[in-house]
Amino acid sequence: MISKFKNAIGYTRTIGRILLISNGAIFVLMVFAFYTGNYASVVFLGFSLVILLISQWFLLTLKSTSITSFEDKIEITREKLNYIFNCIAAHFESPNPDDPNSLAKDVEVFTRELSESLTQCSVTLTNQMQALSIALDNQENERLQKIQDTLLPLIKTLSDAMKTYFNVRDKIDDTLRIQVTDAKAMIERLEPEVLDLSGRLASMQELPLFPVSLRQLDEVIATNLQLDHSIYNQFEVIEHDTNQNAIELVTSMQNLSGSANRLVAYITSTITTITEMNDGVDDSVQFIIDIGHFIEEIPNRIRADIEQLRGATSVIDGLGYLVDSIKEISFQTDILAVNAAIQAAHAGDKGLGFKIVADEVRKLAVNSNHAAEMIETGLENARKTIQEGLKFKALEEVMVQMDEAVHMLESVKKLEQNHEDMQQFYKTLFAVINQNNITLAENISEILSGVQYQDIVRQRIERMKATMSRRNELFERFIDELANTRGLLTNDFAVQMDVVLKDYLEEEARHSNSLNESTEEEPPKFELF
Amino acid sequence: MAKILVIDDEEQLRDLLKQMLSRDGHEVQTAFDGVEGMRMFGQFNPDLVITDIIMPNKDGIEVITELLCSNSGTPIIAISGGRRAITAEFNLESAELLGVKGILSKPFTRDQLRETVQYALGL
Amino acid sequence: MAKTILLVDDSVTMLMSVKTNLEMAGFKIETAEDGVKALAKLTSGLKPDLIITDINMPNMGGIELIKKARALPGFRFMPILTLTTESQQGKRDEGKAAGATGWLVKPVGGADLLKIIKQVLPGA
């Protein structure tokens, strides 16, 4: 029993040391809570301290209880403290680049977290103390030793965290104070310029202004202004070219429509001439066609005439045979009458009547012969007349032909003149239309050439676009770096901006420009190697 | 005073023109048709060409076209009287469309000639 | 026989305008949008009397096209003109070294272009 008590006394001493340290730790926490303005924690920690003291009093009664989940809680607390510590350390090693004010925010957050953790810590400690008293009651040596081992580093961690926190806070204070002072001085110095450029800085105004970055900002803006100016100049070139091109196009179009209108008027006015010439030609041609028809008909007509005459002649010839027959008959009648008269004379008076008849028959024969001779003469005359008529008609025919031939010659000559006129006319017309076509083609060609400006302007705008995006990229990097380094820029953005400008100007100089032809000695627009 | 080449197939008019222009102080050469005219043009290198339109062998339209195509820049005055269906108006209108500096319709006065020549020479 | 000209330019407006212009003057025109397409036409049997090429083009630019075309059999003495917005001497020297026959700076008027083509294509 006595040895048991002695043991208990030994335990009590050990626990007493632990409690002493715990009391100290809680006191430190209270101070910290007080400093951070977390009065609730102060009250709570005070309350904890009171409980701890009460626990100590309980401890003296040496009531043993079992230890439950004691180690786990200590572990959690230690982890939490480590986390806070790491967070603070991490923050100073690599600040948040997105928000320039993140440091202040983070400090606030971490402070709050720290105080919460510490509060929890104190709660845990209280619990642990309770557990401790229970352990003491149960006289579990090993476990008590373990609690002691755990509590010591926990408290050490805690105090380290506190130290770091205070250091960090001081550092932040100092840095900010120095930077703000510097910035203020800088702002005072650069205020007029900054005011001047403030419009352009709208997007960057929220950044803290630091000396290095301000100087660079100044240079970057100046270069950017130059770049803007160059691009503005190019826009002027584009405007000038587009204008010029449009004027040229319109002029060409006007020339084109002018030429076309003149040509139309000319051709319209020539229609009268064409009509007149065609009428002349038509008349001559009709005349020649008529004569042609007439001449074509002449052989037929002559043939018909000859046929007719030949018919008449053959009729007359036929009548000639008839005359011969009459002559034959009259001759035979005459012989018959003579014989009859001889026979009548033989018959004497008896034949007297017969003699009279014979005389009459003879008279008839003589008359017949006479008539036949007269007919023959008539027929001969008729034949002669026909023959003479044929001769005369042929002559007349020739006369008519001669007459027509003269007309035709005139017509042919007229036609020839018509042809000549027409040739002259169409040659002239062709020359004029051809000349006009050349003018039209030239105008169309110039209009088409005007389209080339579209390509030139497109390329010029593409170069601008590329430069703009290069500049914007540079701006973005500049802003990023401003935020990340708080003005301690590692890149010389002014130089980089200058490179963008120079590249652009060089690029533009390489290409043809309608406005600076007079100012610089440009290589020729066309060159054969 | 300018060197003027006169191309006309009508001898009378040719001489008249030569007389008129010479009196105004111009140096005048004449040709009787387009072929001769073009040959003379090469030799004489005139400041102004006055050509008739309707001529044998090579007419005024051909002369004008050739001269304009040669890009010599020599101003041309066309004179014409017209023949049958081909009127003077048609010839001169055509010549104008081809690009001659001046036109003269036959018959013309001395003043008309002088005025047209001065205009064509840019005086 | 109409002379054939190969036009190489990445700008459709450029191709259209020059093509129409030269066709009006009686040339037969083939077109290609970049050096690669132009070279493909040349290697698959197209034998133009003249090549007119832009300098700045995607895939294959004018300088490279001239070099590669000059290396093809039968293209050693073919006239090749450039038609570009590049006007600086440096680029011209590059073109000359690659084997270009002449250097034209955009824009070129229709009449001027024909005059130049007549200079490098006698009898055209």
Side-chain angles (χ1 to χ4, degrees):
Chain A
M1 186 66 201
I2 290 168
S3 67
K4 242 188 187 177
F5 186 69
K6 272 181 184 166
N7 273 342
I9 295 291
Y11 284 138
T12 312
R13 276 188 193 141
T14 312
I15 290 164
R17 276 207 301 276
I18 293 166
L19 286 176
L20 202 65
I21 295 164
S22 303
N23 289 348
I26 291 173
F27 185 70
V28 168
L29 285 172
M30 272 175 73
V31 170
F32 181 76
F34 186 78
Y35 183 86
T36 55
N38 201 332
Y39 299 112
S41 300
V42 176
V43 172
F44 197 80
L45 285 171
F47 183 68
S48 304
L49 198 62
V50 171
I51 289 177
L52 194 63
L53 290 171
I54 293 166
S55 312
Q56 283 166 20
W57 180 74
F58 269 118
L59 198 63
L60 293 176
T61 63
L62 291 176
K63 274 184 185 168
S64 297
T65 47
S66 65
I67 299 170
T68 50
S69 64
F70 184 57
E71 291 155 325
D72 293 347
K73 280 179 183 164
I74 290 169
E75 196 57 39
I76 289 165
T77 310
R78 191 167 52 193
E79 271 174 22
K80 207 157 246 168
L81 281 168
N82 271 338
Y83 170 70
I84 292 166
F85 178 72
N86 286 339
C87 277
I88 292 169
H91 183 83
F92 283 95
E93 271 160 30
S94 59
N96 183 0
D98 294 331
D99 188 352
N101 295 321
S102 67
L103 182 67
K105 279 185 197 162
D106 285 354
V107 169
E108 198 185 304
V109 170
F110 289 141
T111 312
R112 196 168 55 241
E113 272 181 14
L114 194 61
S115 77
E116 275 169 14
S117 291
L118 289 172
T119 310
Q120 275 183 14
C121 214
S122 69
V123 173
T124 313
L125 274 174
T126 312
N127 292 340
Q128 281 168 359
M129 288 310 143
Q130 283 173 351
L132 196 63
S133 68
I134 296 161
L136 284 172
D137 281 352
N138 290 345
Q139 298 179 355
E140 289 182 36
N141 289 340
E142 275 180 34
R143 282 184 189 264
L144 280 170
Q145 192 60 48
K146 268 189 184 169
I147 292 167
Q148 197 179 351
D149 290 350
T150 318
L151 273 175
L152 277 171
L154 177 69
I155 287 159
K156 192 178 181 315
T157 307
L158 204 60
S159 76
D160 282 351
M162 299 279 291
K163 258 188 239 159
T164 312
Y165 172 74
F166 286 127
N167 280 341
V168 164
R169 215 195 50 136
D170 286 344
K171 232 188 199 164
I172 294 166
D173 273 347
D174 287 343
T175 315
L176 283 176
R177 203 165 32 248
I178 293 163
Q179 283 174 343
V180 166
T181 315
D182 284 357
K184 269 184 184 159
M186 200 59 159
I187 288 165
E188 272 164 20
R189 252 205 335 275
L190 295 171
E191 199 173 27
E193 284 169 66
V194 171
L195 274 175
D196 192 35
L197 298 170
S198 63
R200 297 180 175 279
L201 274 169
S203 61
M204 302 168 85
Q205 263 175 350
E206 281 160 25
L207 283 176
L209 300 170
F210 301 115
V212 182
S213 49
L214 258 186
R215 183 186 53 74
Q216 279 214 32
L217 202 58
D218 196 26
E219 285 172 23
V220 167
I221 286 166
T223 316
N224 188 44
L225 277 175
Q226 259 177 286
L227 184 65
D228 279 355
H229 186 70
S230 306
I231 285 172
Y232 178 79
N233 282 347
Q234 281 302 311
F235 272 121
E236 276 194 332
V237 172
I238 288 173
E239 199 187 345
H240 171 266
D241 282 4
T242 314
N243 232 354
Q244 199 62 32
N245 187 23
I247 290 167
E248 277 166 20
L249 275 182
V250 170
T251 313
S252 294
M253 289 289 190
Q254 281 171 344
N255 289 342
L256 205 64
S257 84
S259 304
N261 284 341
R262 269 204 310 281
L263 198 63
V264 168
Y266 171 75
I267 288 169
T268 313
S269 76
T270 58
I271 284 171
T272 324
T273 318
I274 295 172
T275 316
E276 267 172 37
M277 277 192 313
N278 281 346
D279 288 351
V281 171
D282 282 352
D283 287 352
S284 302
V285 166
Q286 195 52 52
F287 194 73
I288 288 167
I289 287 170
D290 289 349
I291 289 170
H293 283 318
F294 178 78
I295 289 169
E296 227 171 40
E297 279 302 303
I298 286 174
N300 291 335
R301 273 161 67 184
I302 290 172
R303 205 177 297 121
D305 281 353
I306 287 169
E307 282 303 317
Q308 223 177 333
L309 289 173
R310 200 173 279 152
T313 313
S314 70
V315 170
I316 289 166
D317 284 347
L319 286 172
Y321 289 123
L322 197 65
V323 169
D324 286 346
S325 298
I326 293 169
K327 272 185 175 169
E328 187 83 14
I329 290 167
S330 87
F331 178 67
Q332 282 176 354
T333 307
D334 192 30
I335 291 171
L336 196 68
V338 170
N339 284 328
I342 293 167
Q343 289 298 326
H346 283 299
D349 290 340
K350 281 181 185 170
L352 199 64
F354 191 67
K355 193 190 174 259
I356 291 163
V357 172
D359 285 345
E360 283 307 310
V361 169
R362 203 171 162 221
K363 250 191 240 170
L364 184 68
V366 170
N367 284 344
S368 296
N369 195 34
H370 188 66
E373 272 170 4
M374 271 177 72
I375 288 168
E376 198 172 21
T377 313
L379 283 175
E380 193 54 40
N381 283 340
R383 193 184 285 121
K384 270 184 187 160
T385 307
I386 286 167
Q387 269 167 358
E388 271 170 19
L390 199 63
K391 267 186 207 159
F392 179 76
K393 214 173 176 184
L395 198 73
E396 204 176 39
E397 211 66 69
V398 170
M399 291 279 281
V400 170
Q401 275 181 44
M402 287 289 281
D403 202 31
E404 295 293 338
V406 169
H407 280 301
M408 194 157 87
L409 214 66
E410 264 175 27
S411 282
V412 168
K413 208 177 161 192
K414 229 176 173 176
L415 203 64
E416 216 173 88
Q417 284 176 352
N418 270 320
H419 179 69
E420 205 181 8
D421 284 358
M422 242 168 192
Q423 225 177 5
Q424 174 80 36
F425 174 79
Y426 282 111
K427 197 167 85 181
T428 308
L429 204 69
F430 181 74
V432 170
I433 289 170
N434 201 37
Q435 187 62 37
N436 257 274
N437 275 347
I438 292 169
T439 316
L440 289 181
E442 276 169 4
N443 274 311
I444 291 168
S445 172
E446 288 313 312
I447 289 170
L448 283 168
S449 303
V451 178
Q452 292 177 20
Y453 278 104
Q454 191 272 343
D455 186 40
I456 294 167
V457 168
R458 175 186 64 85
Q459 290 191 28
R460 206 169 273 151
I461 288 171
E462 267 170 18
R463 291 195 292 274
M464 279 185 200
K465 270 154 76 181
T467 305
M468 290 299 213
S469 75
R470 254 183 91 186
R471 182 194 64 177
N472 291 346
E473 206 181 287
L474 189 67
F475 275 167
E476 271 168 30
R477 280 200 288 123
F478 184 50
I479 289 160
D480 281 356
E481 202 164 310
L482 266 183
N484 289 347
T485 61
R486 316 208 136 50
L488 301 166
L489 297 176
T490 53
N491 284 311
D492 196 340
F493 285 98
V495 170
Q496 289 183 31
M497 192 67 187
D498 213 39
V499 170
V500 172
L501 173 66
K502 283 211 177 93
D503 283 356
Y504 178 67
L505 291 179
E506 267 171 33
E507 180 95 9
E508 279 307 328
R510 273 173 49 214
H511 294 86
S512 55
N513 184 328
S514 53
L515 284 186
N516 61 14
E517 268 171 345
S518 52
T519 54
E520 282 172 48
E521 81 291 1
E522 276 241 323
K525 294 210 76 175
F526 166 57
E527 183 183 6
L528 275 183
F529 298 135
Chain B
M1 292 302 103
K3 294 200 284 181
I4 301 174
L5 174 63
V6 174
I7 312 171
D8 200 314
D9 57 332
E10 268 180 80
E11 197 182 344
Q12 264 188 308
L13 190 72
R14 211 160 57 217
D15 292 345
L16 183 71
L17 275 167
K18 185 169 181 172
Q19 207 184 346
M20 281 175 162
L21 293 166
S22 299
R23 216 180 290 165
D24 284 347
H26 300 294
E27 189 189 331
V28 184
Q29 293 273 352
T30 57
F32 53 84
D33 68 12
V35 177
E36 167 84 354
M38 286 311 291
R39 201 178 56 75
M40 295 276 294
F41 181 82
Q43 289 175 1
F44 184 45
N45 195 23
D47 303 312
L48 173 68
V49 176
I50 299 177
T51 181
D52 187 17
I53 298 290
I54 300 168
M55 288 184 294
N57 302 325
K58 182 177 274 185
D59 67 23
I61 295 294
E62 281 175 87
V63 169
I64 292 167
T65 314
E66 273 181 44
L67 287 179
L68 290 174
C69 283
S70 73
N71 287 322
S72 63
T74 314
I76 306 164
I77 293 172
I79 46 176
S80 185
R83 184 184 63 191
R84 295 187 299 268
I86 309 294
T87 59
E89 287 75 41
F90 169 75
N91 282 333
L92 295 175
E93 200 183 336
S94 302
E96 220 171 13
L97 269 174
L98 283 174
V100 300
K101 267 275 176 180
I103 49 168
L104 275 173
S105 180
K106 287 181 194 174
F108 47 84
T109 65
R110 208 181 148 179
D111 284 344
Q112 281 174 325
L113 174 70
R114 191 181 290 147
E115 207 175 288
T116 314
V117 167
Q118 297 237 328
Y119 172 75
L121 285 169
L123 297 172
Chain C
M1 243 298 265
K3 301 254 184 188
T4 307
I5 299 176
L6 174 62
L7 285 179
V8 193
D9 202 306
D10 57 327
S11 156
V12 180
T13 48
M14 199 65 204
L15 283 182
M16 263 173 58
S17 88
V18 180
K19 181 178 195 263
T20 317
N21 231 331
L22 295 179
E23 275 176 349
M24 269 167 52
F27 290 103
K28 194 173 171 294
I29 304 298
E30 290 281 339
T31 60
E33 291 84 25
D34 59 39
V36 174
K37 283 180 186 160
L39 208 61
K41 283 201 171 184
L42 295 182
T43 48
S44 60
L46 177 68
K47 192 87 197 291
D49 299 288
L50 168 70
I51 298 173
I52 299 176
T53 179
D54 190 15
I55 289 298
N56 298 317
M57 289 180 291
N59 303 326
M60 190 196 287
I63 301 280
E64 198 184 338
L65 171 65
I66 296 171
K67 277 187 197 157
K68 293 209 163 136
R70 284 285 182 234
L72 294 175
F75 284 82
R76 232 178 116 78
F77 301 108
M78 174 177 299
I80 304 180
L81 294 175
T82 67
L83 185 50
T84 172
T85 56
E86 297 266 6
S87 68
Q88 231 189 19
Q89 197 53 52
K91 208 75 183 174
R92 286 175 197 242
D93 293 341
E94 231 180 283
K96 193 178 172 180
T101 315
W103 195 271
L104 296 176
V105 178
K106 289 178 194 175
V108 178
D112 291 340
L113 184 62
L114 285 177
K115 225 182 278 169
I116 292 157
I117 289 174
K118 269 179 194 154
Q119 260 179 279
V120 296
L121 267 187

